[in-house]
Amino acid sequence: MPERRENHPSPSAKRTGWRRPAPPPSTPPTTPPAAPKAAAASAGPTHHRSVVDSALYRDGHRVASPTTLAETFRQLREQPDGMAWIGLHRPTEAELHSLAAEFNLHPLSIEDALEAHQRPKLERYGETLFVVLRAARYLDAPEEVEFGELHVFVGPDFLITVRHGAAPDLSAVRRRMEETPELLSLGPEAVLYAILDAVVDGYAPVVAGVQNDMDEIETEVFRGDPEVSRRIYELSREMVEFQRATRPLVGMLHGLMAGFAKYGTDEELQRYLRDVADHVTHTSERVDGFRQALTDILTVNATLVSQQQNAEMRALAEAGFEQNEEIKKISSWAAILFAPTLVGTIYGMNFETMPELHWAGGYPFAILLMAVVCVSLYIIFKKRDWL
């Protein structure tokens, strides 16, 4: 973490080296005061969309609420013992570059804040700490988890948040800190703690929502719902994202705690951060358990689906066997009835050259022939179990 304010030289003296190079001597004396106005004018139309809140604090109390970045920079220069807390939502490239020029932010951190889609991490660039967090919230209506991304720049006398997404609600964090000026007076470190605490606390409703989804999925699996496989797959993907959001936090917080002695972190903040680390570890273990449970549920569902398919195939095979038996019987009787039909058809042609028509025993012979053929066929089919 950055060093506490009382351990640093005068902030106004330190931040002098962070600004852009001074104008050449030939520049008219009116140019420096005009620069912030120009910057405010050029970036003014976008600040209403990206600057969510900007404030200056002294001894834990808000002393100014600038409406533009240029005004924030100016007032912070006039408050050598103050702290700036700037909250941005999807800022433009020009705004981030103006912040980089004012607070000497590293180009790599600015690039990460512009591109977003970063994994949680903690990087130190000189006296500035760059933290990437993945917040989450559970949406009840669609029963899904929505993830947001938060970038935090922490310096000796400033804290900048760059939010990509709806979560977390940093306005609640700001209200909480302003209601406890003794905590806010500890500086940017305390604000970083409050943000970490808000992100981690936001995981609790997500865990509860996922647990409810897991219970519903288990019921659907044993009820044989055909759509449950898709739901298991979608929830598994969300748990993979959840793991990517929580696992790195464990190492990040341990890294912060390892620097307590080196950077002189306040004892109260140390206790708070340990508590946050405990919550993160618990959440990470729950998410790992969800991932394993979903894998087991998917295996059970596949087994049940396979058993159901085997039962259906067996039923189809039995139906096919019964159908074949019926076809055998029908075919056997058709063959038996075909024999007398054939004989009767032949002798029903009444050709004059057919000698059997003039025999005295022709009729009994035809009847006997039909009977012999029918009985023979019946005996053959009976031996083959067709009848």
Side-chain angles (χ1 to χ4, degrees), residues 329-348:
K329 293 179 181 180
I330 295 173
S331 301
S332 300
W333 286 113
I336 292 173
L337 295 176
F338 177 73
T341 303
L342 178 62
V343 175
T345 302
I346 292 174
Y347 288 102

Side-chain angles (χ1 to χ4, degrees), residues 84 113 124 134 166 191 200 206 209 252 336 350:
R124 181 176 294 279
R134 294 294 304 276
V191 180
V200 174
V206 178
M252 289 167 54
I336 292 173
N350 297 323

Side-chain angles (χ1 to χ4, degrees), residues 127-140:
E127 294 183 330
T128 302
L129 199 63
F130 177 62
V131 181
V132 178
L133 302 172
R134 294 294 304 276
R137 65 173 182 169
Y138 186 81
L139 304 180
D140 292 322

Side-chain angles (χ1 to χ4, degrees), residues 337-373:
L337 295 176
F338 177 73
T341 303
L342 178 62
V343 175
T345 302
I346 292 174
Y347 288 102
M349 292 185 291
N350 297 323
F351 289 118
E352 293 183 357
T353 57
M354 295 180 66
E356 294 87 354
L357 296 178
H358 303 287
W359 291 353
Y363 176 73
F365 173 77
I367 295 298
L368 179 60
L369 177 61
M370 288 187 282
V372 170
V373 173

Side-chain angles (χ1 to χ4, degrees), residues 48-209:
H48 297 289
R49 296 194 301 268
S50 59
V51 179
V52 179
D53 196 357
S54 179
L56 265 67
Y57 299 91
R58 185 192 303 146
D59 298 327
H61 298 278
R62 182 187 286 236
V63 295
S65 300
T67 57
T68 65
L69 292 180
E71 187 179 352
T72 303
F73 301 157
R74 180 182 60 78
Q75 294 192 21
L76 183 59
R77 295 189 192 105
E78 296 172 354
Q79 301 284 341
D81 56 346
M83 179 191 75
W85 181 353
I86 303 172
L88 304 173
H89 181 255
R90 300 186 184 278
T92 64
E93 183 176 356
E95 289 169 337
L96 285 178
H97 283 304
S98 68
L99 290 167
E102 178 68 20
F103 297 113
N104 194 31
L105 303 181
H106 197 279
L108 291 178
S109 62
I110 295 298
E111 181 181 348
D112 289 343
L114 279 172
E115 294 180 357
H117 303 293
Q118 304 294 322
R119 300 192 68 176
K121 64 179 181 179
L122 184 149
E123 299 285 347
R124 181 176 294 279
Y125 300 100
E127 294 183 330
T128 302
L129 199 63
F130 177 62
V131 181
V132 178
L133 302 172
R134 294 294 304 276
R137 65 173 182 169
Y138 186 81
L139 304 180
D140 292 322
E143 293 186 335
E144 62 182 26
V145 182
E146 181 184 74
F147 295 93
E149 189 167 335
L150 179 65
H151 301 242
V152 185
F153 298 88
V154 185
D157 57 351
F158 68 89
L159 184 134
I160 304 166
T161 59
V162 179
R163 186 159 52 92
H164 297 273
D169 184 8
L170 296 182
S171 61
V173 177
R174 192 183 289 266
R175 286 195 301 271
R176 172 194 170 191
M177 295 298 291
E178 290 180 349
E179 291 171 358
T180 54
E182 66 278 2
L183 183 60
L184 185 56
S185 64
L186 297 177
E189 290 178 334
V191 180
L192 176 61
Y193 146 71
I195 292 173
L196 288 168
D197 188 48
V199 170
V200 174
D201 286 347
Y203 293 153
V206 178
V207 170

Side-chain angles (χ1 to χ4, degrees), residues 119 147 206-207 210-211 213-214 217-218 231-247 282-300:
R119 300 192 68 176
F147 295 93
V206 178
V207 170
V210 172
Q211 181 64 66
D213 289 346
M214 298 270 297
I217 286 174
E218 289 179 352
R231 190 175 181 187
I232 294 173
Y233 173 73
E234 291 175 349
L235 189 57
S236 297
R237 291 186 59 185
E238 291 176 353
M239 289 304 97
V240 171
E241 287 295 318
F242 208 177
Q243 278 185 325
R244 292 175 179 172
T246 57
R247 273 188 177 178
H282 176 70
T283 301
S284 181
E285 291 173 351
R286 291 290 303 277
V287 174
D288 292 342
F290 287 152
R291 182 84 185 277
Q292 182 60 45
L294 284 170
T295 302
D296 295 340
I297 291 175
L298 190 60
T299 302
V300 171

